[in-house]
Amino acid sequence: CKFQFENAGIPSIGTMGHAHRFERDVLGQGTPDLLVIEAAVNDLHIGRTAEEARQGMEGVVRSARELGIEVLMLHFADGPHLAAYAKAEVPMVIAEHEAVAQHYAVPSINMALHVQQQIAAGNMDWKRDFNANCHVPAFGQKLYAEQIGKLLDAAWADGIALSGQRQPGQPLDPANWIHGRLLPPTAASALNHTQVIDNWKPADKARTREGFVNVPVLEARGATGSFSVAFEGTGIGLWTISGPGAGRIRWRVDGSAWQEVETFTRHSHHLHLPNPMLLARNLKFGAHQLEVEVLARPEGQRGGEVLRVVHVLVHGASLNKTH
């Protein structure tokens, strides 16, 4: 048997981004037999709610299962996860992802629980063996590989080899993000103090993520920067690149009341962070109009008055789908 591996991972974004980039990044090289996904760490640190963690993960798993792709779910070790398990608590994000795994009979490996159990037994040390970091060194990488191997061996020996032919059945959460897609920056119109930069790169020294530099970006600057996006679906969002100058914005759909959201994150001061944000959801399926404006930044407040959008996130079933 010949194996072909595709690394479709993107750091930092969690299941919201994964659900909307599934078609491009998972299916871009053809339909795989097995999809391996881990998002417990990033859904935690991004601050996703229980609903968002569940809906994002279900969007990925359900998209895979509809195409006969088998899924293996992982939960990596991280300080907050270990602390929760040390108190006999299940971390919220892992609980939500596990609910999806159980609903779709997806095998999962809970690295966080395993590592905590080994630490409690005195067999491992979080600081010594893992550098107290979710980006594990060689010791942790070897451990993770061994656990994956044990799961595959057990499945083979027990005659329950992973089968991607199961139909997904009824959804766990009908509002899951199965039909997410990406629109390019050029989808925006009515540009005011806003432009599409074909090959964006930062002028400051903040770090960048691969795939989010030297790419087309919609950039709105200053408190007068604004644009709109016409879309068809049930939800809309923005995938921003939130660096040191990231601004606060307000938005509305179809002339509804304005809502405000902050795009500057706790990582933005040193990193141009890929930051997918879902704005409106649970809209009636059909044609809609999103309006976005950059707000003035109060003096002395961290951040700036720049909005950079690398993708527009659109969610919603197509007309020939019923789920």
Side-chain angles (χ1 to χ4, degrees):
C1 181
K2 293 184 179 180
F3 291 86
Q4 178 180 338
F5 297 92
E6 298 291 342
N7 182 3
I10 296 179
S12 305
I13 64 173
T15 54
M16 181 182 294
H18 298 332
H20 286 84
R21 70 187 183 92
F22 180 89
E23 180 176 2
R24 184 194 69 180
D25 294 345
V26 174
L27 306 180
Q29 302 297 322
T31 303
D33 298 296
L34 175 64
L35 172 67
V36 181
I37 180 170
E38 197 287 333
V41 171
N42 283 322
D43 270 4
L44 166 70
H45 288 287
I46 293 171
R48 298 297 184 216
T49 64
E51 179 185 57
E52 291 170 340
R54 179 177 65 255
Q55 293 176 349
M57 181 59 81
E58 185 172 15
V60 175
V61 171
R62 194 170 179 84
S63 293
R65 279 291 172 77
E66 284 199 344
L67 296 172
I69 302 169
E70 189 52 85
V71 181
L72 171 58
M73 191 182 300
L74 310 177
H75 311 307
F76 285 168
D78 193 16
H81 292 335
L82 301 185
Y85 279 124
K87 296 185 292 185
E89 299 173 356
V90 179
M92 177 272 288
V93 169
I94 292 180
E96 295 299 333
H97 290 180
E98 274 297 303
V100 175
Q102 293 174 18
H103 184 78
Y104 291 94
V106 166
S108 65
I109 303 177
N110 193 337
M111 308 292 192
L113 177 58
H114 177 69
V115 169
Q116 176 55 38
Q117 290 173 336
Q118 293 299 309
I119 291 173
N123 299 326
M124 296 179 188
D125 183 86
W126 181 235
K127 184 175 182 180
R128 180 194 67 215
D129 297 324
F130 297 87
N131 295 335
N133 196 319
C134 62
H135 301 133
V136 297
F139 176 89
Q141 294 172 29
K142 185 174 183 292
L143 174 69
Y144 287 4
E146 289 173 348
Q147 295 301 307
I148 294 172
K150 287 180 180 179
L151 182 145
L152 297 177
D153 286 343
W156 181 266
D158 292 343
I160 54 171
L162 310 184
S163 170
Q165 302 306 312
R166 291 190 297 271
Q167 293 300 310
Q170 293 298 313
L172 174 66
D173 187 332
N176 71 81
W177 302 335
I178 182 174
H179 295 123
R181 64 188 190 276
L182 303 176
L183 298 184
T186 52
S189 61
L191 308 185
N192 181 37
H193 288 88
T194 301
Q195 61 177 330
V196 176
I197 301 174
D198 293 330
N199 192 36
W200 177 83
K201 52 183 174 292
D204 54 43
K205 296 182 179 179
R207 294 186 291 113
T208 60
R209 291 288 197 210
E210 184 179 356
F212 294 89
V213 64
N214 298 317
V215 295
V217 165
L218 179 72
E219 182 178 271
R221 282 189 165 271
T224 54
S226 64
F227 60 89
S228 64
V229 178
F231 68 98
E232 187 176 71
T234 60
I236 185 76
L238 302 174
W239 195 326
T240 73
I241 302 177
S242 297
R248 187 172 182 83
I249 66 171
R250 69 174 188 167
W251 63 271
R252 65 180 179 180
V253 172
D254 301 334
S256 60
W258 289 101
Q259 300 185 53
E260 296 186 9
V261 63
E262 177 64 74
T263 72
F264 186 88
T265 76
R266 62 192 181 96
H267 302 291
S268 295
H269 66 283
H270 65 88
L271 172 67
H272 289 280
L273 179 75
N275 182 26
M277 303 182 301
L278 201 58
L279 302 177
R281 65 181 74 182
N282 299 323
L283 303 172
K284 182 178 179 180
F285 180 80
H288 301 282
Q289 187 86 6
L290 170 71
E291 298 173 78
V292 179
E293 296 181 355
V294 181
L295 299 175
R297 175 73 70 181
E299 186 175 352
Q301 191 180 90
R302 298 181 74 183
E305 297 178 355
V306 180
L307 174 65
R308 296 187 178 99
V309 178
V310 67
H311 303 295
V312 176
L313 306 175
V314 175
H315 175 68
S318 57
L319 289 175
N320 62 350
K321 295 286 186 178
T322 58
H323 54 278

